[in-house]
Amino acid sequence: MLVGEGPGTQLVAGGTDLWPNLKRGLGRPRTVVSLMSVPDLHGLASGDPEGELEIGATTLLSEVIESPLVAEHYPALARAIASISSPPLRNLATLGGNLCIDTRSTYYNQSEGWRRSIDHCLKKDGDVCWVAPRSPRCWAHSASDAAPMLCALGARVRLVSVDGERVVPLEALFRDDGIDYLSKRDDELLTSILVPREAGGERCRQSFWKLRRRGAIDFAVLSVAVALWFDTGGNVERARIFLGAVASRPVSAGEAERSLEERPLSEDGIAAAARLARRVATPLDTTDFEPAWRGKMVEAYTEAALREAAGLDPGLRLHTSKP
């Protein structure tokens, strides 16, 4: 899905999230309109060598993975997208759709009969979030694998409506709310993703790690995206660390980022940053595995991602597909 539900009308791209949800009774639009025949929403383009890479919202995930430009300059983005689902679905699913994918929860992504048996949940037809029954909000978690990596790379998104267009940082697209999880208006269409060229330069090192029960198909129960920029002296000039599937939006590990900056990347510094990243993660009972264990894995996977970006042995086996 690229936009929120309007009054009775739903726009759709690949449909790999929308159609299964409709089968489960999670939405009942009167009209569904496909965007896949709109040529201006599709394809990858780069302007001058210093310009941004622009990826149309309906560009297939498989097309992003197969792009020589992405493989050369944004290898961690290719890895993140290659970790999504399976080859048949990556040949249907789109990048814009993955960024706007619905949040997920053990109590929400079930058949209508199952949800009825627990009197539904706050995200759909109920009054209680069964993840945290005393909380007034929904705690369904962010399910996009592309979003944390693109946030780490400093990507922006173009939003278009009848009133014109605006370009915003990708991280500003998300809200920390399992129901109202996108900040864009219902009349706005996400048309393209802009990835800065400097994120694909020699000074930037990237890494993406994903935890799930199986090595394919499954949604993440945790993902860690890292982008590090180095100055000519070998110090970390800027660090970006984003965590996925631990909250209702991709989470920035700001304190961990700052601990790495203005100094060389050392093993002790990496371990300390990983401990700081654990502090911002709030994995709850929204998905597979015990939340407490998933919290511990935030530290382990952040350390592995940073070690890989530093050219060190990650110390863990990467549990994801490779492009």
Side-chain angles (χ1 to χ4, degrees):
M1 289 188 297
L2 301 185
V3 298
E5 289 190 4
T9 301
Q10 177 70 61
L11 300 187
V12 64
T16 56
D17 187 51
L18 177 64
W19 302 131
N21 279 348
L22 293 186
K23 290 179 181 178
R24 299 186 188 108
L26 301 173
R28 294 179 177 84
R30 291 193 301 270
T31 305
V32 177
V33 179
S34 173
L35 299 170
M36 296 303 284
S37 296
V38 182
D40 290 346
L41 299 180
H42 181 267
L44 295 88
S46 180
D48 60 84
E50 301 302 319
E52 294 176 301
L53 170 65
E54 183 164 8
I55 308 174
T58 64
T59 303
L60 300 180
L61 298 181
S62 58
E63 293 174 319
V64 180
I65 297 168
E66 294 164 3
S67 164
L69 186 60
V70 173
E72 179 180 358
H73 296 288
Y74 311 99
L77 176 60
R79 178 192 285 179
I81 294 175
S83 79
I84 297 170
S85 192
S86 63
L89 289 180
R90 290 195 293 270
N91 284 326
L92 289 171
T94 65
L95 183 56
N98 186 258
L99 294 180
C100 295
I101 194 170
D102 198 4
T103 54
R104 297 183 61 80
S105 167
T106 302
Y107 304 96
Y108 173 71
N109 296 98
Q110 304 286 350
S111 68
E112 189 164 5
W114 191 99
R115 289 182 288 108
R116 190 185 309 117
S117 72
I118 62 166
D119 200 23
H120 301 282
C121 71
L122 184 61
K123 186 169 169 66
K124 176 63 177 173
D125 298 331
D127 300 317
V128 177
C129 176
W130 295 113
V131 173
R134 295 185 180 181
S135 174
R137 56 157 288 185
C138 169
W139 288 93
H141 74 271
S142 173
S144 172
D145 289 313
M149 193 66 243
L150 283 167
C151 284
L153 294 172
R156 303 182 298 158
V157 290
R158 191 185 309 278
L159 304 172
V160 177
S161 71
V162 293
D163 296 326
E165 69 174 56
R166 61 190 180 111
V167 176
V168 301
L170 175 59
E171 59 192 284
L173 180 67
F174 303 104
R175 290 194 179 112
D176 193 19
D177 186 311
I179 296 173
D180 191 17
Y181 59 94
L182 294 178
S183 64
K184 69 179 187 59
R185 305 193 309 265
D186 282 345
D187 66 337
E188 286 183 312
L189 178 68
L190 194 163
T191 61
S192 64
I193 300 92
L194 303 165
V195 190
R197 181 66 182 86
E198 53 96 12
E202 293 181 357
R203 293 176 53 240
C204 181
R205 302 179 193 170
Q206 315 159 16
S207 181
F208 177 84
W209 280 62
K210 175 177 176 176
L211 173 66
R212 52 185 167 180
R213 185 170 288 277
R214 298 177 294 180
I217 306 295
D218 294 342
F219 282 92
V221 296
L222 166 69
S223 62
V224 179
V226 167
L228 304 174
W229 284 261
F230 291 81
D231 62 22
T232 55
N235 294 322
V236 178
E237 187 175 82
R238 180 157 55 102
R240 302 267 288 180
I241 304 170
F242 276 81
L243 310 176
V246 297
S248 297
R249 64 180 175 187
V251 176
S252 171
E255 191 176 0
E257 294 168 350
R258 290 187 290 274
S259 75
L260 295 169
E261 294 173 345
E262 300 182 3
R263 65 191 66 188
L265 194 59
S266 67
E267 294 195 42
D268 288 344
I270 287 171
R275 291 192 293 271
L276 291 172
R278 169 67 183 92
R279 295 181 183 180
V280 302
T282 55
L284 297 173
D285 185 22
T286 53
T287 186
D288 205 2
F289 298 124
E290 290 293 326
W293 182 80
R294 289 165 54 211
K296 293 178 181 178
M297 289 301 100
V298 170
E299 182 176 337
Y301 269 56
T302 301
E303 184 169 358
L306 287 170
R307 288 180 65 87
E308 183 180 59
L312 302 171
D313 180 358
L316 289 176
R317 177 177 176 271
L318 184 62
H319 196 53
T320 185
S321 303
K322 289 189 177 181

